[in-house]
Every structure is written in C-alpha cells, then in structure tokens.
Amino acid sequence: TSPKVFDLQELNPSPEEENPQDKEMNKLPKSDPTKIVLARTNFLLEFGEEVLPPYHVFHSNSECIAVWCKTGRWSTLQTAIFLHSTAVGNAKSATVMAMGVAAAHVFLLPVMAIGGIVAVSAPWMILKKSKHKWEEATMKLTELFWAKAEPEVFVEAIEHWSGLV
C-alpha cells in the first residue's frame, strides 16, 4: 500500500478555530532578504573562526549558524524543543513514580518529590542559560556584522525593514 498523503488542512485547525494569540506565538522568525542573508554568510566565511562562539551542543551549533544567517537571531529550535519536551516528560515520569512509591512506601515521598523537582527543573535551567548565551551571541555577531557590512547591505536593510519599497 502507498503511504497516506496528509492534507495540511487536516493537520491544521481552521482559521475560525485558531486562537490569534496562539497563531502569533507559534510563528517562526521570517527570513531576512536574500542580500542580507548572503552578506551574513560571507561575513562568517571570512571571519568565522574569529567571531563564532565555541561549539556547544545547546548554545552554539550548526543550526545556530544557519538561523543567524537567515534571521539575524542566534538560536536553535532543536535545543529548545528537546529541553521543553524533556522537562514535560520528566514531570510525567516523576508524577507516576511518586504515586507508585506513595502507595507502597509513604515515607519515601519527600525524596521522590525532591528528585522530581530536580528532574523537571534541570532542563528549564539549561534552556534559560542557553537563551542567555543565544542573546549574547546575537548581540556580538550583529554588532560585528554591521561594522563590516557593505553599503548596499545597509540600503537593502533600510528598504526592507522600513517598508519603503
């Protein structure tokens, strides 16, 4: 049998059902104009070793480079999703385990609660630290990029972001 082809309308709620706040929150950042994206890419090709933060699986990886070139923001959606889902999964596991332990050994419940708090809060703390690192890298790279940008890149930015064209 052939695989089922999904219609996007099946997967997404109709516009009447969609909450406007949810719609705005779930938007991915839009790509900047091609000329700016290419200028950022060339900037990293020329100065990469000097300006890029050292590799880190959560705060500085290849996805961060691609996102920065396209949007001007240093971040990784994969890390954010991984840490969010890990925290939620740990919360579910800790709750189920605590209920089981409470039924058998009530005196262990405080120990289980502390373990659950650590399991849930650790991913959130890592995500918070990552967001801070992403913001630092965004500011540093943006300042360095615009200091080296060619005049036509400034013109493109002004035309695009001001809505003059």
Side-chain angles (χ1 to χ4, degrees), residues 2 15 26 30 44 56 79 114 123 125-126 134-135 139 165:
S2 62
N26 293 329
K30 292 186 181 207
L44 289 181
H56 187 278
T79 295
I114 292 170
M125 291 170 51
I126 294 168
W134 296 337
E135 192 59 39
M139 296 301 293
V165 175

Side-chain angles (χ1 to χ4, degrees), residues 52-114:
L52 285 173
Y55 175 82
H56 187 278
V57 71
F58 292 139
H59 337 128
S60 182
N61 56 46
S62 58
E63 185 188 3
C64 295
I65 294 170
V67 170
W68 183 77
C69 287
K70 289 288 280 181
T71 67
R73 301 276 315 154
W74 188 265
S75 66
T76 166
L77 187 60
Q78 291 174 353
T79 295
I81 289 171
F82 170 74
L83 292 171
H84 278 282
S85 60
T86 299
V88 170
N90 288 352
K92 289 179 185 178
S93 298
T95 302
V96 170
M97 196 167 18
M99 288 174 21
V101 168
H105 305 285
V106 177
F107 63 91
L108 289 177
L109 195 55
V111 174
M112 295 303 299
I114 292 170

Side-chain angles (χ1 to χ4, degrees), residues 105-165:
H105 305 285
V106 177
F107 63 91
L108 289 177
L109 195 55
V111 174
M112 295 303 299
I114 292 170
I117 289 169
V118 169
V120 172
S121 63
W124 290 114
M125 291 170 51
I126 294 168
L127 182 60
K128 183 178 179 182
K129 180 179 179 182
S130 294
K131 286 181 178 182
H132 178 72
K133 295 275 189 182
W134 296 337
E135 192 59 39
E136 285 179 349
T138 297
M139 296 301 293
K140 177 187 170 199
L141 286 170
T142 299
E143 287 176 16
L144 293 170
F145 168 72
W146 287 112
K148 305 269 186 200
E150 298 291 326
E152 61 267 9
V153 178
F154 282 97
V155 171
E156 179 70 23
I158 292 168
E159 288 176 348
H160 177 75
W161 290 320
S162 69
L164 293 175
V165 175

